[in-house]
């Protein structure tokens, strides 16, 4: 028979005001197993905790029930308290008398009655509690970073600088990501490449960082501290150890296709480096367009290569790595502006996206930074920027604000003004959102010093007329329609989740929100952790973010990974599922409902020597949801800490 | 309890409005937290629900619900995270599938469907939690006790 002690907290007057705590303690004395009950003003205080410790010694208590606030607040406090008296922390049970009784019930009699019920249920559960223990799990002190943009690079550098190895996987032929595509950055107007490329080189040089470009994560198994990752390194058709990056191959290659890095504004060859500062600065062959692969002809690059580095028959390489933490930094996609059919039927050569604008105004872009109309190469005299294209638009399924567009549009108006002092620059906006250090000042400068004409209102229609694009909208401040004949229209396309974000989420076992951005564990207090232990988020894969926010979240996720690596070993969750293997029929209904692949099928020997299959739960992987326990047809899986017996006792106590 | 006390209690019960007993299985991540928030927000609701904290609505075995009815519950509530928001990815889907079947079974054995509720209530939906409890309590009060004469120990 357990010896249970019950302690009822007044919480100052928070509980005492509507619950007669002395009466609750008095009632508790009659519950089965209770040998001591008392009430006190603040159980969580030092005197309150000492009262528990003294009573444990004096009355030889082995189970403790505290009726106080919500267990989400002070359960750890009291678990630590009973552990001081050498009691297992899971011999402690809590009754929620504040959030779920005194604060929601005004009638003192009813509240007292409800409190007595809650304590009776907690006592019943405590009476059936078993000692639970964590297991020690090893930690592989190595990180995987998925995505080699600024967020991934920053996270990798931070972890590497702390002395731990990092594997950085990037699916494009070069690291750099979105930031490499940008011309200048707000609010300082320093050139994006000038601040990014040193970091790219630093990452490549760091001995703790292994970069796999043109590679994708194909599978993730395991759990916090002990992931096993499969990475497919796509065939580059280049022997990386021989290639010197001289560039003769892509000079001579006869095939030209639109360059994805240039957002289609420029061309690349079939063998290419996506941009001049690429890291690694070694080409890949696009097998879908290369003549050698499509027609079996050509072979010029192989002939020209002085290092004999072109290897046409190279195959994909699949490698596996063990890592302890994973940082997801896969970035964002751009909203497809073609979905706005009212804007020139969705497409027109002189209507470009903001990212195409970045390439066209960039000195290393396809036009060497000379901003010209794509249709006829003329200098644009009237340029219209339209904000919130695929942001804050419910009809497009994008009701959220993309956060970066107001600022990059202001920046782009400044970049235009610097090239064309006499151009007319219009910006259609809904609201200007400039929450950031020096952001508002920057935007005011675009309007006041650079004379960008901001018009508050939506654009309803864009259509070509002669060599112009007619932009029809409204000025909602002046309350009148506006019509502008534009030479160039720039659509501030919103950021959205990567098209394949959901697939990656499933592979990693992390959650996504309604827009397929990855979900954090807690919106405010755990912003870079996911609900899955050991997997962290960095940058715009979580929500649209500008560069400073990406870098900050990347460093934060690195800090979380490092906090994990700083531990000698991991303690697993003690409240896990457990199979009574002697009674398991091996139906494996549990296996199919386990979200963590914690259940495995094992072969055990019968007493007669025969082999039989049973389910086994890996307590290191199990997250304690209990789905298997509810699914078990034979009722032989139980969830420790929430056993069938404990739940039954609580039900019975609730209805006495 | 002496016979006199028992008689007094019956008389009191007749005098006072009858109060149903409702067992509520709340998932710890969403609905239990929503109930806590109702407290922090000081939203009053009827005191009839007796809360059992479970890690996930998917932990709730239909047998737990049946036991509650057998032991004298007038209604049972299972509340978890909204579909898609389960802390364990999919536990609430399993709960939904299982408990929908249970609901039909309950009807078959003569327990009104209003006596069993599966609800989604997030950690931020304090008002919704209070409304659900208020609604269930009101509905069950109208229905009256479940098999009042039956032996609870059966």
């Amino acid at each position: 028979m357990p010896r249970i002690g019950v302690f009822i907290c007044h919480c100052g007057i928070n509980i005492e005001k509507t619950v007669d705590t002395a009466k609750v303690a008095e009632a508790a004395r009659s519950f089965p197993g209770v040998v001591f009950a008392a009430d006190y003003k603040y159980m969580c205080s030092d005197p309150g905790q000492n009262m528990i410790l003294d009573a444990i010694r004096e009355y030889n208590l082995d189970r403790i029930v505290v009726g106080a606030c919500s267990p989400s607040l002070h359960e750890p406090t009291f678990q630590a308290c009973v552990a001081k008296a050498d009691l297992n922390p899971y011999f402690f049970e809590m009754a929620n008398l504040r959030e779920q009784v005194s604060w929601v019930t005004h009638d003192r009699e009813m509240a007292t009655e409800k409190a007595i019920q809650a304590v009776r249920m907690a006592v019943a559960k405590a009476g059936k509690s078993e000692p639970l223990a964590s297991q020690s799990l090893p930690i592989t002190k190595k990180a995987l970073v998925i995505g080699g943009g600024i967020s991934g690079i920053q996270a990798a550098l931070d972890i590497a600088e702390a002395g731990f190895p990092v594997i950085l996987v990037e699916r494009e032929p070069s690291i750099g990501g979105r930031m490499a595509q940008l011309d200048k950055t707000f609010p300082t107007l320093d050139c994006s490449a000038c601040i990014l490329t040193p970091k790219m080189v630093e990452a490549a040089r760091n001995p703790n960082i292994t970069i796999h470009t043109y590679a994708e994560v194909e599978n993730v198994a395991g759990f916090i501290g002990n992931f096993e990752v499969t990475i497919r390194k796509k065939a580059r058709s280049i022997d990386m150890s021989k290639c010197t990056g001289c560039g003769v191959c892509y000079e001579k290659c006869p095939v030209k296709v639109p360059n994805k890095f240039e957002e289609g504004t420029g061309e690349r060859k079939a063998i290419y480096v996506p941009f001049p500062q690429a890291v690694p600065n070694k080409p890949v062959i696009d097998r879908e367009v290369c003549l050698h692969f499509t027609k079996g002809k050509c072979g010029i690059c192989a002939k020209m290569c002085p290092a004999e580095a072109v290897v046409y028959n190279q195959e994909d390489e699949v490698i596996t790595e063990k890592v302890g933490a994973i940082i997801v930094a896969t970035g964002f996609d751009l909203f497809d502006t073609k979905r706005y059919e009212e804007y020139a039927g969705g497409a027109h050569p002189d209507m470009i996206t903001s990212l195409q604008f970045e390439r066209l105004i960039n000195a290393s872009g396809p036009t060497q930074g000379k901003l010209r109309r794509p249709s006829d190469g003329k200098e644009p005299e009237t340029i219209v920027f339209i904000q919130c294209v695929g942001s804050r638009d419910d009809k497009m399924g994008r009701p959220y604000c993309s956060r970066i567009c107001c600022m990059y549009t202001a920046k782009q108006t400044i970049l235009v003004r610097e090239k064309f002092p006499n151009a007319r620059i219009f910006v259609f906006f809904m609201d200007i959102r400039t929450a950031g250090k020096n952001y508002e000042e920057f935007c005011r400068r675009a309007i006041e010093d650079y004379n960008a004409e901001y018009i508050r209102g939506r654009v309803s229609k864009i259509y070509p007329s002669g060599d112009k694009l007619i932009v029809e909208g409204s000025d909602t401040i002046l309350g009148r329609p506006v019509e502008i004949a534009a030479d160039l229209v720039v659509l501030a396309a919103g950021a959205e989740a990567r098209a394949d974000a959901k697939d990656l989420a499933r592979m990693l076992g992390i959650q996504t929100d309604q827009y397929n951005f990855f979900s954090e564990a807690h919106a405010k207090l755990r912003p870079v952790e996911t609900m899955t232990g050991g997997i962290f988020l960095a940058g715009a894969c979580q929500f649209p973010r500008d560069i400073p926010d990406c870098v900050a979240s990347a460093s934060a996720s690195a800090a979380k990974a490092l906090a994990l690596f700083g531990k000698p070993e991991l303690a697993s969750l003690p409240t896990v599922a457990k199979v009574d293997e002697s009674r398991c029929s091996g139906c494996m209904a549990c296996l199919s409902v386990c979200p963590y692949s914690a259940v495995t099928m094992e072969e055990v020997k019968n007493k007669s020597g025969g082999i039989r299959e049973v389910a086994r739960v890996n307590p290191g992987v199990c997250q304690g949801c209990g789905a298997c326990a509810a699914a078990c047809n034979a009722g032989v899986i139980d969830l420790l800490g929430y056993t069938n017996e404990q739940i039954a006792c609580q039900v019975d106590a609730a209805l006495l | 309890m002496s016979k006199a006390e028992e008689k007094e209690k019956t008389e009191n019960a007749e005098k006072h409005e009858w109060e149903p007993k409702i067992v509520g299985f709340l998932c710890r991540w969403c609905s239990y937290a929503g109930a806590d928030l109702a407290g922090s927000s000081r939203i009053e609701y009827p005191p009839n629900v007796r809360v059992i904290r479970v890690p996930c609505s998917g932990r709730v075995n239909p047998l737990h619900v049946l036991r509650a009815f057998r032991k004298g519950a007038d209604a049972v509530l299972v509340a978890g995270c909204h579909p898609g928001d389960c802390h364990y990815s999919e536990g609430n889907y399993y709960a939904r599938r299982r408990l929908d079947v249970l609901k039909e079974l309950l009807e078959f054995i003569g327990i009104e469907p209003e006596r069993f509720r599966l609800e989604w209530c997030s950690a931020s939906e304090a008002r919704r939690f209070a409304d659900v409890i208020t609604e269930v309590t009101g509905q069950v009060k109208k229905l009256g006790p479940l098999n009042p004469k039956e032996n609870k120990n059966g």
Side-chain angles (χ1 to χ4, degrees):
Chain A
M1 190 73 185
R3 296 179 60 82
I4 305 173
V6 176
F7 301 84
I8 308 299
C9 182
H10 302 184
C11 194
I13 58 158
N14 278 304
I15 295 172
E16 181 56 34
K17 198 170 89 179
T18 45
V19 173
D20 185 341
T21 51
K23 197 174 167 189
V24 176
E26 180 54 42
R29 285 186 193 106
S30 68
F31 298 159
V34 174
V35 293
F36 178 83
D39 60 281
Y40 183 68
K41 199 162 188 140
Y42 289 109
M43 284 313 303
C44 61
S45 67
D46 276 351
Q49 293 191 45
N50 287 334
M51 190 173 157
I52 296 174
L53 295 173
D54 291 345
I56 290 173
R57 266 177 239 121
E58 196 171 334
Y59 297 93
N60 202 18
L61 304 175
D62 57 11
R63 302 285 190 283
I64 300 299
V65 170
V66 173
C69 51
S70 170
S72 61
L73 195 64
H74 273 314
E75 192 175 50
T77 313
F78 292 116
Q79 280 182 328
C81 169
V82 302
K84 271 192 222 160
D86 292 328
L87 283 187
N88 186 282
Y90 291 86
F91 283 162
F92 168 78
E93 207 46 59
M94 203 156 177
N96 187 339
L97 306 188
R98 194 179 72 175
E99 280 83 348
Q100 295 185 11
V101 180
S102 72
W103 278 351
V104 292
T105 320
H106 291 173
D107 184 286
R108 192 172 166 87
E109 201 181 319
M110 280 177 153
T112 304
E113 185 53 36
K114 190 180 180 187
I116 291 171
Q117 289 288 355
V119 172
R120 182 188 281 131
M121 290 163 75
V123 166
K125 188 183 178 193
K128 299 293 177 189
S129 57
E130 296 287 334
L132 304 183
S134 319
Q135 296 198 327
S136 290
L137 302 168
I139 305 170
T140 307
K141 297 185 178 180
K142 189 179 196 178
L144 167 73
V145 177
I146 308 174
I150 181 59
S151 305
I153 292 170
Q154 182 66 45
L157 283 171
D158 286 348
I159 295 169
E161 275 167 26
F164 296 98
V166 183
I167 300 158
L168 178 60
V169 175
E170 166 60 52
R171 68 172 156 199
E172 297 297 330
S174 169
I175 58 169
R178 292 289 181 201
M179 189 173 167
Q181 293 181 287
L182 306 181
D183 181 44
K184 300 225 164 55
T185 54
F186 60 78
T188 46
L189 289 181
D190 38 13
C191 123
S192 191
C194 310
I195 55 177
L196 175 67
T197 48
K199 286 220 168 233
M200 291 161 62
V201 173
E202 206 184 326
R205 279 209 193 121
N206 192 307
N208 276 334
I209 301 178
T210 308
I211 301 178
H212 297 303
T213 53
Y214 213 49
E216 287 196 68
V217 176
E218 215 165 55
N219 192 44
V220 175
F223 51 94
I224 179 169
N226 300 275
F227 295 105
E228 190 167 303
V229 184
T230 311
I231 300 163
R232 177 175 293 270
K233 296 178 71 178
K234 287 175 279 184
R236 261 184 122 95
S237 316
I238 300 292
D239 184 335
M240 295 289 274
S241 60
K242 286 186 186 164
C243 175
T244 60
C246 71
V248 172
C249 53
Y250 48 84
E251 266 171 41
K252 303 293 179 187
C253 176
V255 180
K256 285 181 180 175
V257 287
N259 190 353
K260 187 179 166 192
F261 179 83
E262 303 289 2
E263 293 291 315
T265 60
E267 290 175 326
R268 64 162 169 82
K269 302 294 184 66
I271 183 167
Y272 70 104
V273 289
F275 55 100
Q277 308 96 320
V279 171
N281 202 342
K282 295 180 182 179
V284 298
I285 294 179
D286 179 349
R287 292 185 173 187
E288 283 178 12
V289 295
C290 170
L291 292 177
H292 179 85
F293 288 96
T294 54
K295 299 207 168 98
K297 292 179 191 164
C298 192
I300 291 177
C301 51
K303 278 176 219 144
M304 299 306 294
C305 178
E308 297 181 339
V310 176
V311 188
Y312 290 125
N313 59 359
Q314 200 177 56
E315 283 177 13
D316 288 5
E317 191 188 344
V318 178
I319 56 171
T320 57
E321 291 274 4
K322 285 190 188 321
V323 298
I326 299 175
I327 292 177
V328 187
T330 49
F332 65 96
D333 273 344
L334 216 57
F335 176 83
D336 178 13
T337 57
K338 290 189 183 68
R339 289 179 59 195
Y340 281 85
E341 286 183 11
E342 62 269 38
Y343 293 174
H348 187 277
D350 293 333
M351 189 173 74
I352 60 175
T353 68
S354 42
L355 206 51
Q356 288 174 325
F357 176 92
E358 295 287 337
R359 296 315 304 152
L360 291 177
I361 204 147
N362 187 287
S364 65
T367 57
Q368 284 77 49
K370 292 190 184 75
L371 183 64
R372 297 289 181 267
R373 281 157 54 97
S375 61
D376 55 14
K378 279 189 198 159
E379 275 189 16
E381 286 165 11
T382 304
I383 302 175
V384 174
F385 290 88
I386 302 171
Q387 293 197 185
C388 296
V389 181
S391 307
R392 302 181 68 197
D393 191 341
D394 229 348
K395 282 204 301 284
M396 290 292 168
R398 302 285 179 275
Y400 58 86
C401 167
S402 281
R403 289 187 72 210
I404 49 177
C405 321
C406 283
M407 285 304 293
Y408 74 58
T409 299
K411 174 198 75 180
Q412 290 176 346
T413 66
I414 293 177
L415 298 181
V416 170
R417 177 64 71 220
E418 281 175 347
K419 305 237 172 192
F420 306 116
N422 299 319
R424 289 203 72 181
I425 304 167
F426 297 94
V427 179
F428 282 91
F429 71 99
M430 287 164 69
D431 298 286
I432 298 296
R433 297 184 168 177
T434 53
K437 193 168 180 175
N438 291 321
Y439 283 13
E440 176 64 17
E441 297 90 321
F442 180 82
C443 191
R444 300 265 19 132
R445 219 159 71 225
I447 298 168
E448 286 160 15
D449 300 348
Y450 290 83
N451 197 24
E453 295 172 56
Y454 272 64
I455 301 166
R456 189 179 196 278
R458 292 293 280 171
V459 170
S460 55
K461 197 175 177 188
I462 301 173
Y463 59 92
S465 170
D467 66 346
K468 300 271 185 187
L469 279 168
I470 308 299
V471 179
E472 283 186 3
S474 59
D475 185 328
T476 56
I477 290 174
L478 297 178
R480 66 180 187 201
V482 185
E483 193 180 295
I484 298 165
D487 297 307
L488 187 66
V489 174
V490 183
L491 305 177
E496 61 184 29
R498 289 281 189 195
D500 53 2
K502 201 85 191 172
D503 300 332
L504 183 61
R506 285 200 191 102
M507 190 196 298
L508 293 167
I510 61 175
Q511 270 90 54
T512 54
D513 64 16
Q514 66 265 50
Y515 313 115
N516 289 347
F517 287 113
F518 301 125
S519 301
E520 57 286 321
H522 188 283
K524 279 157 279 200
L525 301 178
R526 295 172 69 196
V528 298
E529 291 156 87
T530 64
M531 278 298 194
T532 305
I535 302 184
F536 310 108
L537 303 175
C541 62
Q542 187 183 354
F543 201 67
R545 282 201 169 106
D546 58 18
I547 296 165
D549 283 4
C550 281
V551 172
S553 79
S555 287
S557 64
K560 289 289 171 191
L562 291 171
L564 180 64
F565 294 167
K567 292 178 187 169
E569 55 195 10
L570 276 176
S572 69
L573 185 79
T575 51
V576 292
K578 199 178 173 186
V579 184
D580 179 353
E581 289 178 10
S582 67
R583 296 195 293 135
C584 173
S585 68
C587 77
M588 304 314 287
C590 46
L591 190 140
S592 63
V593 299
C594 178
Y596 303 97
S597 310
V599 183
T600 49
M601 188 154 73
E602 302 288 335
E603 290 183 342
V604 292
K605 269 195 183 151
N606 276 344
K607 277 180 196 160
S608 56
I611 301 259
R612 148 180 104 79
E613 284 165 346
V614 296
R616 190 170 290 164
V617 175
N618 180 342
V621 185
C622 178
Q623 297 296 309
C625 71
C628 57
C632 181
N633 297 316
V636 300
I637 305 188
D638 222 337
L639 183 64
L640 302 178
Y642 302 90
T643 62
N644 288 324
E645 192 188 20
Q646 285 178 312
I647 292 176
C649 285
Q650 283 174 281
V651 167
D652 295 357
L655 298 166
L656 272 181
Chain B
M1 201 182 286
S2 73
K3 279 201 171 166
E5 276 174 330
E6 210 160 348
K7 197 180 166 201
E8 191 189 18
K9 201 182 171 188
T10 328
E11 277 170 6
N12 276 342
E14 277 163 13
K15 255 185 273 169
H16 290 97
E17 197 183 357
W18 166 73
E19 290 294 340
K21 288 176 180 176
I22 302 167
V23 173
F25 295 93
L26 307 187
C27 99
R28 64 173 293 183
W29 302 100
C30 291
S31 304
Y32 192 92
D36 275 354
L37 186 65
S40 324
S41 317
R42 310 296 199 277
I43 302 171
E44 199 182 359
Y45 57 84
N48 304 64
V49 67
R50 288 116 161 93
V51 172
I52 295 174
R53 186 167 74 137
V54 288
C56 176
S57 52
R59 166 69 187 103
V60 180
N61 191 312
L63 293 173
H64 299 146
V65 179
L66 289 173
R67 187 181 184 101
F69 281 122
R70 195 156 55 84
K71 293 286 178 167
D74 298 300
V76 177
L77 165 76
V78 177
C81 311
H82 283 274
D85 294 349
C86 176
H87 178 79
Y88 307 102
S89 309
E90 51 212 27
N92 49 2
Y93 293 126
Y94 298 130
R96 182 165 66 182
R97 227 177 287 169
R98 252 176 232 141
L99 298 172
D100 274 355
V101 175
L102 174 71
K103 199 163 193 171
E104 291 193 18
L105 174 77
L106 291 175
E107 213 173 339
F108 179 73
I109 61 175
I111 294 178
E112 296 93 334
E114 293 89 339
R115 294 187 189 273
F116 176 68
R117 289 279 284 258
L118 176 63
E119 288 286 343
W120 313 129
C121 176
S122 81
S124 57
E125 291 176 321
R127 171 57 67 187
R128 183 173 151 70
F129 179 81
D131 287 349
V132 166
I133 301 301
T134 309
E135 193 184 305
V136 176
T137 309
Q139 277 180 343
V140 178
K141 272 188 181 173
K142 268 187 223 154
L143 288 171
L146 175 69
N147 298 332
K149 284 172 196 163
E150 200 146 305
N151 179 9
K152 276 186 206 169
N153 303 319

